[in-house]
Amino acid sequence: MKIIFIVLFFVLGSFFTRAQCKETISGDFQSKEYSSPCPVFNFSFDGINAKGWVYASKSLDISLVADEILPVKETLEQQLQAYVGDEFFSKMKFKSVDISNYDSIQKFSGRYPPVDMYACKTKYFFYYYYYPNPQIKYCIGIALDDKKNIISSFNFPQKEHYLPEEAGLDYCKVMELVKKTGTKVEPIESVSFDFDPEKQKFFWWIKQKIVNPKEGENQRNEISIEAANSMQVVSYMKVILLDARGVPISRTQEIKSTPIKRNRAAL
């Protein structure tokens, strides 16, 4: 009886640990660059059916613009599926769409950030989530101009390069692997699931927080784990250049990236 209790304890403990595993939301919609400057209304399938559109935090019902937007959505998704392939596309889910309404600028007079028609270059902006597994949301944004041409860059791989993510590799499993490396990354600044456009691969990135930032060079440790193969784990020592406020200087943010440990089958 005691043995059965112990087994149940560990099984249930493992179950509850996995059930409570932290959801990871990563990626970049790119809306700040493409959609934010525009006078946009947001529409989704679970939006509100409001009369007299006003700028609000809630989405409007997509049925209000069905004749205009659904053909655009269908054409876009055909293009996306051809680019990423069936397997990747099957894990994408439409979230919502922004539509720029150039005749409604007066309705946005009190909005922050303010409408900037000189910076506005987007007619339609589509939001999608990519789900490698139910615990991970990866943000994808697609901007189209007035002629319905895609004008934003892709933060996901072409089908020729896509490698399916390893099953079960979520936040909890990643943190287990991080501990096994022996690399000091605490306190942790971020744990993210991101795409490397040069390598055309998804990686988990774990970054150490710089506790006492100073102007100039600052060191921190980072760990990368290939999403398609968790045996590929590399620890880095990186030198980050910060300004007087402790903010990374973007053009030279990372001036050194030194692999300090490569952990493979040992994990």
Side-chain angles (χ1 to χ4, degrees):
M1 188 70 179
K2 183 177 180 181
I3 295 175
I4 295 175
F5 175 79
I6 292 173
V7 171
L8 285 174
F9 176 82
F10 281 106
V11 170
L12 290 173
S14 176
F15 171 79
F16 286 118
T17 298
R18 305 306 299 176
Q20 296 173 8
C21 189
K22 183 178 179 180
E23 182 183 51
T24 303
I25 302 177
S26 296
D28 182 6
F29 283 126
Q30 306 180 83
S31 58
K32 184 177 181 180
E33 177 181 358
Y34 291 100
S35 183
S36 294
C38 303
V40 298
F41 294 98
N42 183 259
F43 300 87
S44 68
F45 286 109
D46 58 356
I48 59 175
N49 197 332
K51 295 181 180 179
W53 301 353
V54 293
Y55 177 76
S57 57
K58 293 184 178 180
S59 296
L60 297 170
D61 194 320
I62 203 169
S63 65
L64 298 170
V65 289
D67 291 343
E68 175 185 359
I69 201 61
L70 293 185
V72 179
K73 178 177 178 290
E74 181 179 2
T75 299
L76 171 62
E77 292 182 354
Q78 289 174 352
Q79 294 175 302
L80 290 175
Q81 188 168 7
Y83 182 87
V84 300
D86 295 342
E87 185 171 4
F88 188 98
F89 185 76
S90 68
K91 300 175 186 177
M92 289 179 62
K93 182 179 180 181
F94 170 77
K95 178 180 179 289
S96 64
V97 59
D98 288 340
I99 302 180
S100 295
N101 193 320
Y102 306 136
D103 297 329
S104 299
I105 297 178
Q106 67 278 6
K107 293 183 180 180
F108 296 80
S109 58
R111 192 197 76 173
Y112 185 83
V115 169
D116 183 355
M117 292 308 296
Y118 289 101
C120 177
K121 50 190 175 184
T122 306
K123 178 62 178 177
Y124 306 105
F125 191 87
F126 287 82
Y127 298 84
Y128 290 89
Y129 283 128
Y130 170 64
Y131 289 88
N133 69 48
Q135 295 290 338
I136 305 170
K137 286 182 180 180
Y138 179 74
C139 302
I140 293 175
I142 308 291
L144 280 65
D145 62 15
D146 290 343
K147 296 181 180 180
K148 302 171 186 174
N149 297 315
I150 297 173
I151 57 174
S152 55
S153 58
F154 287 170
N155 59 342
F156 46 85
Q158 197 167 2
K159 60 184 176 182
E160 289 81 5
H161 302 288
Y162 174 61
L163 295 173
E165 293 75 25
E166 184 177 309
L169 187 60
D170 56 14
Y171 180 90
C172 291
K173 179 63 175 179
V174 164
M175 296 313 295
E176 291 174 8
L177 294 172
V178 167
K179 290 180 181 178
K180 290 181 180 180
T181 65
T183 302
K184 179 176 172 53
V185 290
E186 294 182 350
I188 293 175
E189 178 180 278
S190 63
V191 178
S192 60
F193 175 90
D194 288 313
F195 178 65
D196 186 324
E198 293 184 3
K199 296 181 179 178
Q200 286 287 298
K201 291 181 180 181
F202 282 104
F203 289 84
W204 285 87
W205 278 100
I206 300 86
K207 298 180 180 180
Q208 184 181 35
K209 182 179 181 179
I210 300 173
V211 178
N212 298 306
K214 63 179 185 297
E215 185 175 4
E217 295 185 3
N218 294 259
Q219 291 186 1
R220 75 174 177 202
N221 291 334
E222 299 183 10
I223 298 173
S224 72
I225 303 172
E226 284 192 21
N229 182 3
S230 64
M231 304 295 281
Q232 303 298 324
V233 183
V234 182
S235 300
Y236 298 88
M237 185 281 289
K238 293 193 175 182
V239 178
I240 311 297
L241 194 62
L242 303 179
D243 64 17
R245 299 170 298 163
V247 177
I249 299 175
S250 58
R251 65 182 178 85
T252 55
Q253 176 180 346
E254 180 185 304
I255 60 176
K256 184 186 292 183
S257 177
T258 307
I260 56 177
K261 186 183 298 181
R262 184 177 295 274
N263 305 82
R264 294 180 183 271
L267 295 178

